[in-house]
Tab-separated table of all heavy atoms in Angstrom:
chain	number	residue	atom	x	y	z
U	26	GLU	N	20.458	310.422	45.429
U	26	GLU	CA	19.555	309.698	44.527
U	26	GLU	C	19.242	308.312	45.148
U	26	GLU	O	19.205	307.227	44.384
U	26	GLU	CB	20.310	309.461	43.205
U	26	GLU	CG	20.595	310.749	42.440
U	26	GLU	CD	20.892	310.615	40.982
U	26	GLU	OE1	19.938	310.053	40.275
U	26	GLU	OE2	21.835	311.076	40.502
U	27	MET	N	18.981	308.230	46.371
U	27	MET	CA	18.691	307.045	47.021
U	27	MET	C	17.371	306.401	46.538
U	27	MET	O	17.260	305.107	46.403
U	27	MET	CB	18.587	307.146	48.577
U	27	MET	CG	19.967	307.342	49.274
U	27	MET	SD	21.166	305.886	48.836
U	27	MET	CE	20.178	304.552	49.572
U	28	GLU	N	16.347	307.172	46.230
U	28	GLU	CA	15.146	306.633	45.682
U	28	GLU	C	15.339	305.887	44.286
U	28	GLU	O	14.909	304.761	44.145
U	28	GLU	CB	14.129	307.676	45.472
U	28	GLU	CG	13.631	308.239	46.821
U	28	GLU	CD	12.437	309.193	46.545
U	28	GLU	OE1	11.982	309.434	45.413
U	28	GLU	OE2	11.970	309.817	47.601
U	29	ARG	N	16.226	306.474	43.482
U	29	ARG	CA	16.546	305.850	42.120
U	29	ARG	C	17.293	304.513	42.472
U	29	ARG	O	17.134	303.565	41.781
U	29	ARG	CB	17.343	306.816	41.299
U	29	ARG	CG	17.556	306.216	39.872
U	29	ARG	CD	18.472	307.215	39.204
U	29	ARG	NE	19.077	306.551	37.952
U	29	ARG	CZ	20.032	307.013	37.218
U	29	ARG	NH1	20.617	308.276	37.639
U	29	ARG	NH2	20.446	306.518	36.133
U	30	ILE	N	18.203	304.612	43.280
U	30	ILE	CA	19.040	303.382	43.655
U	30	ILE	C	18.187	302.370	44.124
U	30	ILE	O	18.375	301.146	43.738
U	30	ILE	CB	20.165	303.706	44.638
U	30	ILE	CG1	21.165	304.833	43.966
U	30	ILE	CG2	20.879	302.484	45.110
U	30	ILE	CD1	22.203	305.328	44.993
U	31	GLU	N	17.239	302.595	45.021
U	31	GLU	CA	16.334	301.656	45.644
U	31	GLU	C	15.498	300.916	44.531
U	31	GLU	O	15.317	299.742	44.547
U	31	GLU	CB	15.467	302.264	46.655
U	31	GLU	CG	14.640	301.266	47.563
U	31	GLU	CD	15.497	300.413	48.549
U	31	GLU	OE1	16.667	300.811	48.839
U	31	GLU	OE2	14.957	299.351	48.908
U	32	LEU	N	15.006	301.708	43.680
U	32	LEU	CA	14.250	301.247	42.626
U	32	LEU	C	15.063	300.254	41.728
U	32	LEU	O	14.514	299.195	41.261
U	32	LEU	CB	13.530	302.278	41.761
U	32	LEU	CG	12.693	301.857	40.632
U	32	LEU	CD1	11.505	301.206	41.062
U	32	LEU	CD2	12.228	303.084	39.779
U	33	ALA	N	16.234	300.669	41.389
U	33	ALA	CA	17.174	299.819	40.544
U	33	ALA	C	17.477	298.520	41.364
U	33	ALA	O	17.429	297.370	40.688
U	33	ALA	CB	18.396	300.525	40.272
U	34	LEU	N	17.681	298.615	42.587
U	34	LEU	CA	17.972	297.362	43.393
U	34	LEU	C	16.684	296.441	43.340
U	34	LEU	O	16.914	295.199	43.272
U	34	LEU	CB	18.395	297.635	44.844
U	34	LEU	CG	19.686	298.423	44.999
U	34	LEU	CD1	19.832	298.800	46.458
U	34	LEU	CD2	20.864	297.542	44.549
U	35	MET	N	15.577	297.085	43.438
U	35	MET	CA	14.312	296.264	43.455
U	35	MET	C	14.153	295.379	42.103
U	35	MET	O	13.673	294.321	42.139
U	35	MET	CB	13.206	297.173	43.651
U	35	MET	CG	11.754	296.461	43.685
U	35	MET	SD	10.373	297.660	43.855
U	35	MET	CE	10.950	298.570	45.382
U	36	ASN	N	14.601	295.945	41.021
U	36	ASN	CA	14.386	295.385	39.656
U	36	ASN	C	15.604	294.629	39.116
U	36	ASN	O	15.533	294.028	38.114
U	36	ASN	CB	13.928	296.478	38.710
U	36	ASN	CG	12.620	297.024	39.030
U	36	ASN	OD1	11.693	296.428	39.402
U	36	ASN	ND2	12.578	298.416	38.965
U	37	ALA	N	16.673	294.645	39.904
U	37	ALA	CA	17.928	294.051	39.387
U	37	ALA	C	17.794	292.600	39.254
U	37	ALA	O	17.363	291.847	40.244
U	37	ALA	CB	19.085	294.372	40.331
U	38	GLY	N	18.301	292.094	38.107
U	38	GLY	CA	18.422	290.673	37.831
U	38	GLY	C	19.885	290.151	38.394
U	38	GLY	O	20.069	289.013	38.585
U	39	LEU	N	20.818	291.181	38.442
U	39	LEU	CA	22.116	290.833	38.968
U	39	LEU	C	22.643	292.084	39.666
U	39	LEU	O	22.528	293.216	39.168
U	39	LEU	CB	23.048	290.525	37.675
U	39	LEU	CG	24.542	290.505	37.977
U	39	LEU	CD1	24.883	289.256	38.918
U	39	LEU	CD2	25.314	290.356	36.765
U	40	PHE	N	23.214	291.916	40.872
U	40	PHE	CA	23.902	292.953	41.589
U	40	PHE	C	25.357	292.496	41.787
U	40	PHE	O	25.604	291.401	42.272
U	40	PHE	CB	23.162	293.139	42.954
U	40	PHE	CG	23.914	293.965	43.959
U	40	PHE	CD1	23.957	295.420	43.575
U	40	PHE	CD2	24.514	293.525	44.943
U	40	PHE	CE1	24.720	296.237	44.453
U	40	PHE	CE2	25.238	294.454	45.852
U	40	PHE	CZ	25.280	295.845	45.553
U	41	VAL	N	26.233	293.446	41.427
U	41	VAL	CA	27.710	293.128	41.614
U	41	VAL	C	28.290	294.232	42.439
U	41	VAL	O	28.255	295.455	42.193
U	41	VAL	CB	28.304	293.065	40.092
U	41	VAL	CG1	29.797	292.695	40.313
U	41	VAL	CG2	27.589	292.151	39.208
U	42	SER	N	28.985	293.806	43.516
U	42	SER	CA	29.825	294.800	44.252
U	42	SER	C	31.169	294.611	44.059
U	42	SER	O	31.724	293.564	44.071
U	42	SER	CB	29.460	294.497	45.747
U	42	SER	OG	30.157	295.259	46.627
U	43	ILE	N	31.926	295.710	43.781
U	43	ILE	CA	33.201	295.704	43.354
U	43	ILE	C	34.050	296.791	44.205
U	43	ILE	O	33.809	297.928	44.332
U	43	ILE	CB	33.515	296.112	41.901
U	43	ILE	CG1	32.659	295.149	40.921
U	43	ILE	CG2	34.908	296.071	41.570
U	43	ILE	CD1	32.576	295.584	39.467
U	44	GLY	N	35.165	296.187	44.859
U	44	GLY	CA	36.075	297.012	45.576
U	44	GLY	C	35.555	297.781	46.773
U	44	GLY	O	35.881	298.897	46.971
U	45	THR	N	34.644	297.147	47.486
U	45	THR	CA	34.058	297.800	48.563
U	45	THR	C	34.484	297.188	49.999
U	45	THR	O	34.707	295.912	49.910
U	45	THR	CB	32.532	297.885	48.616
U	45	THR	OG1	31.974	296.576	48.707
U	45	THR	CG2	32.041	298.441	47.396
U	46	SER	N	34.466	297.895	50.965
U	46	SER	CA	34.862	297.350	52.340
U	46	SER	C	33.686	296.622	53.010
U	46	SER	O	33.851	295.764	53.760
U	46	SER	CB	35.325	298.428	53.249
U	46	SER	OG	34.221	299.253	53.566
U	47	GLY	N	32.394	296.970	52.542
U	47	GLY	CA	31.258	296.431	53.243
U	47	GLY	C	30.860	296.987	54.531
U	47	GLY	O	30.108	296.384	55.272
U	48	ASN	N	31.602	298.121	54.892
U	48	ASN	CA	31.368	298.717	56.210
U	48	ASN	C	30.653	299.958	56.203
U	48	ASN	O	30.243	300.431	57.220
U	48	ASN	CB	32.809	299.083	56.847
U	48	ASN	CG	33.565	297.815	57.229
U	48	ASN	OD1	33.017	297.018	57.877
U	48	ASN	ND2	34.834	297.714	56.815
U	49	VAL	N	30.408	300.571	55.111
U	49	VAL	CA	29.751	301.846	54.896
U	49	VAL	C	28.402	301.741	54.418
U	49	VAL	O	28.100	301.244	53.398
U	49	VAL	CB	30.608	302.817	53.917
U	49	VAL	CG1	30.012	304.210	53.905
U	49	VAL	CG2	31.962	302.988	54.346
U	50	TYR	N	27.487	302.250	55.277
U	50	TYR	CA	26.027	302.157	54.969
U	50	TYR	C	25.591	303.564	54.411
U	50	TYR	O	26.169	304.519	54.790
U	50	TYR	CB	25.205	301.723	56.209
U	50	TYR	CG	25.357	300.214	56.537
U	50	TYR	CD1	26.487	299.819	57.255
U	50	TYR	CD2	24.408	299.348	56.028
U	50	TYR	CE1	26.544	298.413	57.543
U	50	TYR	CE2	24.426	297.985	56.291
U	50	TYR	CZ	25.573	297.485	57.010
U	50	TYR	OH	25.713	296.212	57.268
U	51	PRO	N	24.586	303.535	53.515
U	51	PRO	CA	23.617	302.493	53.219
U	51	PRO	C	24.162	301.510	52.194
U	51	PRO	O	23.645	300.347	51.970
U	51	PRO	CB	22.436	303.136	52.695
U	51	PRO	CG	23.012	304.424	52.106
U	51	PRO	CD	24.066	304.885	53.081
U	52	ALA	N	25.343	301.827	51.487
U	52	ALA	CA	25.827	300.959	50.416
U	52	ALA	C	26.030	299.420	50.881
U	52	ALA	O	25.825	298.589	50.064
U	52	ALA	CB	27.099	301.487	49.733
U	53	ALA	N	26.541	299.348	52.127
U	53	ALA	CA	26.818	298.003	52.627
U	53	ALA	C	25.513	297.165	52.704
U	53	ALA	O	25.545	295.924	52.706
U	53	ALA	CB	27.442	298.086	53.941
U	54	GLY	N	24.293	297.832	52.661
U	54	GLY	CA	23.092	297.180	52.751
U	54	GLY	C	22.383	296.858	51.559
U	54	GLY	O	21.361	296.127	51.463
U	55	PHE	N	22.976	297.133	50.345
U	55	PHE	CA	22.380	297.012	49.022
U	55	PHE	C	22.185	295.461	48.739
U	55	PHE	O	21.238	295.027	48.185
U	55	PHE	CB	23.296	297.618	47.970
U	55	PHE	CG	23.227	299.121	47.953
U	55	PHE	CD1	24.029	299.845	46.962
U	55	PHE	CD2	22.335	299.788	48.743
U	55	PHE	CE1	23.928	301.264	47.000
U	55	PHE	CE2	22.300	301.129	48.795
U	55	PHE	CZ	23.232	301.928	47.903
U	56	VAL	N	23.249	294.664	49.175
U	56	VAL	CA	23.092	293.293	48.900
U	56	VAL	C	21.996	292.699	49.585
U	56	VAL	O	21.207	291.742	49.074
U	56	VAL	CB	24.410	292.519	49.217
U	56	VAL	CG1	24.852	292.601	50.670
U	56	VAL	CG2	24.400	290.953	48.805
U	57	ASP	N	21.686	293.058	50.823
U	57	ASP	CA	20.650	292.650	51.676
U	57	ASP	C	19.271	292.961	51.023
U	57	ASP	O	18.360	292.252	50.969
U	57	ASP	CB	20.726	293.090	53.049
U	57	ASP	CG	19.618	292.461	53.987
U	57	ASP	OD1	19.624	291.208	53.963
U	57	ASP	OD2	19.006	293.217	54.673
U	58	ALA	N	19.317	294.167	50.455
U	58	ALA	CA	18.055	294.677	49.847
U	58	ALA	C	17.719	293.826	48.605
U	58	ALA	O	16.597	293.392	48.330
U	58	ALA	CB	18.176	296.137	49.336
U	59	VAL	N	18.679	293.582	47.766
U	59	VAL	CA	18.513	292.630	46.585
U	59	VAL	C	18.017	291.239	47.121
U	59	VAL	O	17.136	290.574	46.424
U	59	VAL	CB	19.767	292.486	45.790
U	59	VAL	CG1	19.662	291.552	44.637
U	59	VAL	CG2	20.122	293.866	45.146
């Protein structure tokens, strides 16, 4: 569901990352997308 995730990141007013290592992509790149 990467297309749905990308759309949600595009429209997010708040992005919160919880309990992640920040090493695994593409999830580690979500903050940069926002």
Side-chain angles (χ1 to χ4, degrees):
E26 299 197 57
M27 286 303 300
E28 289 186 5
R29 182 182 168 199
I30 293 170
E31 187 72 18
L32 181 61
L34 294 172
M35 184 184 302
N36 294 318
L39 173 64
F40 172 70
V41 186
S42 177
I43 302 172
T45 68
S46 67
N48 289 311
V49 180
Y50 285 83
F55 288 175
V56 60
D57 187 49
V59 174

